């Protein structure tokens, strides 16, 4: 029996990243905004970059909690910590119409003045939530939480906590990095959800360029490094300007190029290597590397400049010589 074909998800209104800050700032107390295609942290970056943000936004860190009660406790703790951080610059009015406001504010001020978060766990959560929101920001605090789009069990308590916060006067944003299935508990936040419309990113902006390790003053090193990087057989084998351990005493020598997989060292020699002293030092380095198990190939800078492909073929031949199982007649 063929499996039932699921209908395509309904088309949702789209919103551009440039419009997000204004949309979030215009949320009234008790309103909810669901965004698909954007995580909490990326939304936070967009909001932080907005120079016209006049309302406070709190990014909730509740991913590690598994129950609605625990999430609400974390939110209250966060609001109390935020209120302490903003003391004594509290909004003058207490919670609108609350007979508790004056007494709560006096007690909260004493706690904050003593460097303690103004949390009163014996109070009903609804009253404490309203008081904290009221003193933190005159225009209200927008609460943003990320909702896991692939794990309904993890998503459900976050959604319930956001609904509770919206039901008690807070503006809330549910950020979903991708579209969730049209199954419980997601339909509770998908009604009226917006999909974030991302502009295509050019390939150049998505390319992470390799970091050169060639010596900045050696054109020959940079040319050979680039040629090796672009060679299908040799790419990734060599590291440039790298120390190689030699001797049993823990010493090392810095070489121009080393292939550790096949224990090959390539040295690129400029004119200074022709002096008697430098020539003798090079021969001693070659001896130390040979005893350490490395085969050394020396190529002059003049050869690189005159015939770079030939220099690369020399390196290829030595690598094949050291590579186990290679056909050396190729």
């Amino acid at each position: 029996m063929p499996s039932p074909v699921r209908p395509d998800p309904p088309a949702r209104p789209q919103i551009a990243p440039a419009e997000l800050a204004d949309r979030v700032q215009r949320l009234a107390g008790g309103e909810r905004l669901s965004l698909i295609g954007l995580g909490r942290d990326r939304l936070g970056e967009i909001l932080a970059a907005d120079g016209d943000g006049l309302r406070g936004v709190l990014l909730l860190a509740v991913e590690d909690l598994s129950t609605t009660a625990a999430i609400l406790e974390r939110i209250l703790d966060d609001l109390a910590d935020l209120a302490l951080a903003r003391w004594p610059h509290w909004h003058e009015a207490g919670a609108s119409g609350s007979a508790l406001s004056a007494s709560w504010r006096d007690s909260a001020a004493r706690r904050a003045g003593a460097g303690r978060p103004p949390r009163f766990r014996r109070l009903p959560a609804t009253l404490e939530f309203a008081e904290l929101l009221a003193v933190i920001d005159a225009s209200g605090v927008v609460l943003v939480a990320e909702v896991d789009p692939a794990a309904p069990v993890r998503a459900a308590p976050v959604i319930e906590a956001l609904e509770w916060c919206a039901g008690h006067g807070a503006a809330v944003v549910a950020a979903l990095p991708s579209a969730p299935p049209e199954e419980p508990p997601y339909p509770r936040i998908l009604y009226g959800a917006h999909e974030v419309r991302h502009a295509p990113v050019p390939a150049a902006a998505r390319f992470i360029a390799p970091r050169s390790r060639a010596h900045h003053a050696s054109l020959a090193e940079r040319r050979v490094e680039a040629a090796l990087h672009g060679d299908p057989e040799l790419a990734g084998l060599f590291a440039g300007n790298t120390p190689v351990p030699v001797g049993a005493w823990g010493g090392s020598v810095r070489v121009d190029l080393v292939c550790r997989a096949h224990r090959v060292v390539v040295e690129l020699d400029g004119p200074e290597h022709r002096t008697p002293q430098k020539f003798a030092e090079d021969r001693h380095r070659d001896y130390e590397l040979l005893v350490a198990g490395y085969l050394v190939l020396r190529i002059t800078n003049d050869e690189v400049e005159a015939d770079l492909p030939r220099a690369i073929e020399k390196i290829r031949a030595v690598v094949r010589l050291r590579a186990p199982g290679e056909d050396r007649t190729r």
Side-chain angles (χ1 to χ4, degrees), residues 48-50 73 121 125 137 208 214 247-248 262 277 280 300 305-306 326:
D50 177 44
E73 278 295 302
R121 299 182 186 277
D137 197 316
I208 302 174
H262 305 311
Q277 180 178 353
T300 66
E305 183 177 354
E326 286 285 349

Side-chain angles (χ1 to χ4, degrees), residues 201-209:
V201 180
R206 290 180 273 113
F207 177 67
I208 302 174

